[in-house]
Amino acid sequence: MSAVTMPRVTSAGFIQDLEARDRRSQLGWYDDEAEVSIVCRGQRSRQHLRGKSAIGEWIDQTCSSCRAVRVVYHVEHNNEMTVIAEFQDHDGAYGIYSCVAQVEGGVIVSQQVVLQ
């Protein structure tokens, strides 16, 4: 039996998939048990997601609601990746997506997202 080698997450790859709104590729960057915490403008509570199934549903919903995404800032340092992007929804409204992701073993294990 041969082992499948997954690519290591990089900001360049993550950015490419984010801007392309490539749902399947985005989900591939996450560990099976990854955790994502999301804060949306105007909401008082955080949304907590755990595992690829829940994260995949969120990615599908987010990609479906966006018409365009453009990364304006990114940096990688040690095991952390930070990305800030502008997005436009189908109604023409603009927003800001910012995230800080912790990477272990080449995959995202934890991520904090703020949508404004």
Side-chain angles (χ1 to χ4, degrees):
M1 178 189 294
S2 63
V4 175
T5 303
M6 295 297 293
R8 296 180 57 84
V9 68
T10 63
S11 61
F14 188 77
I15 288 166
Q16 179 180 349
D17 294 339
L18 189 64
E19 289 183 335
R21 295 176 297 131
D22 185 333
R23 299 167 182 160
R24 183 175 177 192
S25 293
Q26 285 182 49
L27 188 57
W29 296 121
Y30 291 87
D31 182 73
D32 289 343
E33 296 300 318
E35 295 184 17
V36 176
S37 177
I38 306 160
V39 176
C40 294
R41 172 183 61 202
Q43 296 181 0
R44 299 181 89 177
S45 62
R46 291 178 182 257
Q47 182 180 8
H48 294 282
L49 307 174
R50 182 177 176 102
K52 277 193 171 182
S53 177
I55 294 168
E57 289 176 19
W58 173 70
I59 289 172
D60 285 345
Q61 178 185 9
T62 303
C63 287
S64 295
S65 67
C66 288
R67 183 166 71 185
V69 177
R70 184 178 70 88
V71 172
V72 295
Y73 174 82
H74 66 92
V75 65
E76 286 180 73
H77 181 70
N78 295 330
N79 291 334
E80 192 169 271
M81 178 176 62
T82 301
V83 175
I84 299 173
E86 297 174 330
F87 65 89
Q88 184 180 24
D89 66 21
H90 290 289
D91 296 330
Y94 286 89
I96 300 292
Y97 162 94
S98 58
C99 80
V100 177
Q102 289 71 44
V103 178
E104 292 179 11
V107 293
I108 296 171
V109 295
S110 177
Q111 183 179 23
Q112 297 74 43
V113 176
V114 177
L115 299 171
Q116 301 179 32

